[in-house]
């Protein structure tokens, strides 16, 4: 997507042909800063400290992390160590494991001297596939938004989203935001309620930044405002992303998503989840029970960063000093609260039958 007229992806290969460029998302929305990944450790740290984040982008970064590791040592041991290091970075988003498996499948049985070139080629493919997949999610999701616009005789369609599932969370287009960008491009009057998404504020900092730079009407709301807006008919539909979707249609996403789905259910507001098929974990049949939920540092809850009037970015304490804090990063929304899963292949009912109808090749898993 464009940043001030310049097209950007969220990750790219630099002109030197080996180092990897990213947007440092910890600096947004205050500073748009690019940084380079030059080693496996740079890639792993970028995922851990959330310079890159969002399930698909985590996967793409891991793929390039393996390329950077292969530059230094293309042995079996180095390959295994690189995969193990990357797999430990974040536990919930399954695209990480998916991308590592894809890279292993490409490299494992290859002679050592072919591995480096093959790794860069597969990482580039993973990125290009992600862009096309997300574009298609947008095509299918656009049709849902259009149906709402038609039902309102072209009136404004209000979509609520949580966290950031835009182009910054993927290689391009985004998942939940792709339908919104495409509806906006098609001149549908679409407005987005952006949940701020505590504790790291991915909604207020990233989703709002993306929509702002693309000219899509939007309003930032506190995380607890959604239920009130739904009760008063101010939300036509919700679309969120997901970090891992179980084979039964349960979806893990940023903490707070479940409460939005409950409020949507209570108010008859359709709740959709947008995802590339690389986010489906076919080995898990009960997401609420089995999807691992990341717990992050308590300081993300007790501290916040912001920009002062003079432009300096500072971090401040916001909680009672010494009080303990819990930082559960994700929750799982049961399939029964999800009206549809918007994938690159079309919209599936959130159930094992619904998913298998779109992905029959997974029936034997
Ligand atoms: O902890 P984050 O910022 O990586 O979490 C991101 C989300 O929860 C997104 O909504 C998710 O990855 C959806 S995929 C684009």
């Amino acid at each position: 997507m464009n940043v001030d007229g310049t097209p950007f992806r969220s990750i790219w290969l630099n002109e030197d042909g080996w180092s990897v460029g990213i947007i440092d998302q910890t600096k947004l929305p205050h500073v748009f800063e690019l940084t380079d990944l030059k080693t496996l450790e740079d890639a792993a740290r970028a995922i851990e400290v959330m310079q890159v984040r969002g399930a698909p982008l985590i996967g793409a970064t891991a793929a390039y992390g393996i390329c950077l590791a292969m530059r230094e040592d293309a042995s079996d041991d180095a390959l295994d160590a690189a995969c193990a290091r990357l797999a430990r970075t974040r536990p919930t988003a399954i695209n990480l494991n998916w991308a590592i498996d894809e890279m292993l499948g490409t490299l494992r049985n290859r002679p050592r001297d072919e591995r480096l070139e093959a790794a860069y080629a597969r990482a580039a493919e993973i990125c290009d596939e992600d862009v096309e997949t997300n574009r298609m999610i947008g095509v299918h999701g656009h049709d849902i938004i259009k149906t709402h616009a038609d039902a309102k005789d072209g009136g404004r369609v209000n979509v609520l989203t949580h966290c950031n599932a835009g182009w910054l969370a993927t290689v391009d287009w985004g998942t939940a935001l792709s339908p919104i960008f495409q509806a906006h491009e098609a001149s549908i009057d679409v407005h987005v309620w952006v949940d701020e998404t505590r504790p790291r504020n991915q909604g207020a900092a990233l989703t709002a930044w993306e929509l702002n730079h693309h000219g899509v009407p939007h309003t930032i709301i506190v995380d607890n405002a959604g239920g009130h807006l739904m009760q008063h008919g101010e939300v036509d539909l919700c679309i969120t992303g997901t970090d891992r979707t179980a084979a039964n249609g349960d979806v893990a996403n940023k903490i707070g998503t479940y409460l939005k789905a409950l409020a949507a259910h209570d108010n008859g507001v359709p709740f959709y989840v947008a995802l590339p098929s690389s986010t489906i974990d076919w080995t898990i049949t009960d997401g609420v029970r089995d999807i691992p939920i990341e717990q992050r540092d308590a300081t993300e809850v007790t501290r916040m960063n912001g920009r002062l009037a003079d432009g300096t970015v500072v971090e401040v304490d916001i909680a009672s000093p010494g009080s303990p804090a819990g930082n559960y990063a994700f929750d799982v929304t049961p399939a029964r609260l999800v009206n549809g899963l918007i994938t690159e292949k079309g919209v599936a009912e959130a159930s094992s039958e619904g998913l298998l109808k779109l992905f029959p090749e997974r029936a034997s898993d």
Side-chain angles (χ1 to χ4, degrees):
M1 307 296 281
N2 284 351
V3 181
D4 301 331
T6 308
F8 269 93
R9 285 185 173 187
S10 62
I11 189 165
W12 59 90
L13 193 64
N14 285 323
E15 276 177 11
D16 59 19
W18 66 270
S19 68
V20 178
I22 57 164
I23 299 164
D24 183 348
Q25 298 191 25
T26 60
K27 301 277 169 54
L28 287 172
H30 308 303
V31 185
F32 182 72
E33 193 173 294
L34 310 183
T35 189
D36 291 338
L37 310 177
K38 296 185 171 172
T39 63
L40 164 68
E41 195 50 32
D42 287 349
R45 288 287 299 153
I47 298 172
E48 276 167 352
V49 304
M50 292 171 70
Q51 285 179 309
V52 292
R53 23 117 350 250
L57 178 57
I58 290 171
T61 307
Y64 273 120
I66 292 173
C67 299
L68 294 169
M70 292 298 93
R71 285 188 79 235
E72 284 167 26
D73 181 352
S75 67
D76 282 354
D77 286 351
L79 179 58
D80 289 340
C83 293
R85 172 70 185 97
L86 290 161
R88 281 196 306 274
T89 51
R90 294 195 68 190
T92 302
I94 192 64
N95 306 57
L96 174 63
N97 307 52
W98 173 86
I100 291 172
D101 287 348
E102 288 291 311
M103 295 299 284
L104 271 178
T106 302
L107 303 181
R108 175 67 81 203
N109 295 320
R110 243 175 231 278
R112 220 189 255 208
D113 60 350
E114 290 178 12
R115 280 185 176 165
L116 184 59
E117 198 179 332
Y120 274 102
R122 185 65 192 119
E125 268 171 20
I126 286 175
C127 290
D128 290 345
E129 285 164 13
D130 186 66
V131 176
E132 178 55 16
T133 295
N134 297 327
R135 192 186 68 78
M136 284 311 296
I137 288 172
V139 168
H140 299 302
H142 156 277
D143 294 347
I144 294 173
I145 297 176
K146 172 134 183 20
T147 305
H148 283 270
D150 290 347
K152 292 179 97 172
D153 280 335
R156 174 162 276 203
V157 180
N158 292 296
V159 184
L160 183 143
T161 192
H162 191 70
C163 196
N164 172 256
W167 69 269
L168 289 168
T170 64
V171 179
D172 208 351
W173 282 109
T175 56
L177 291 199
S178 182
I180 291 165
F181 286 131
Q182 297 198 31
H184 177 75
E185 295 295 313
S187 300
I188 293 174
D189 184 7
V190 61
H191 163 264
V192 187
W193 295 112
V194 179
D195 282 353
E196 61 175 347
T197 319
R198 282 281 291 142
R200 289 184 68 111
N201 292 324
Q202 290 96 327
L206 304 177
T207 300
W209 182 84
E210 284 190 25
L211 294 171
N212 222 352
H213 279 264
H214 210 76
V216 180
H218 63 284
T219 308
I220 300 167
I221 50 174
V222 296
D223 287 329
N224 294 324
H228 166 76
L229 291 170
M230 290 183 211
Q231 278 176 330
H232 291 272
E234 298 287 343
V235 181
D236 295 297
L237 71 159
C238 302
I239 312 180
T240 73
T242 167
D243 294 83
R244 191 184 301 218
T245 302
N248 70 341
D250 291 349
V251 287
N253 194 49
K254 183 54 58 189
I255 193 78
T257 304
Y258 171 44
L259 291 178
K260 291 295 143 8
L262 279 173
H265 188 70
D266 194 43
N267 290 283
V269 173
F271 190 93
Y272 290 95
V273 178
L275 59 131
S277 53
S278 52
T279 302
I280 305 171
D281 186 341
W282 297 96
T283 68
I284 289 188
T285 52
D286 182 334
V288 177
R289 190 188 60 201
D290 292 336
I291 295 179
I293 299 298
E294 176 179 20
Q295 290 189 46
R296 297 182 60 87
D297 200 291
T299 54
E300 290 183 349
V301 176
T302 59
R303 296 180 69 77
M304 224 185 212
N305 81 17
R307 187 170 54 184
L308 299 176
D310 70 1
T312 1
V313 176
V314 293
E315 210 176 87
V316 293
D317 287 317
I318 57 163
S320 141
S323 291
N327 190 4
Y328 300 88
F330 298 92
D331 59 24
V332 177
T333 300
R336 67 186 160 78
L337 299 177
V338 178
N339 292 73
L341 300 170
I342 309 170
T343 77
E344 71 271 25
K345 285 206 175 172
V347 182
E349 182 189 283
S351 65
S352 23
E353 298 74 29
L355 280 171
L356 286 176
K357 222 185 258 176
L358 278 192
F359 302 97
E361 68 280 9
R362 306 311 299 232
S364 56
D365 285 11

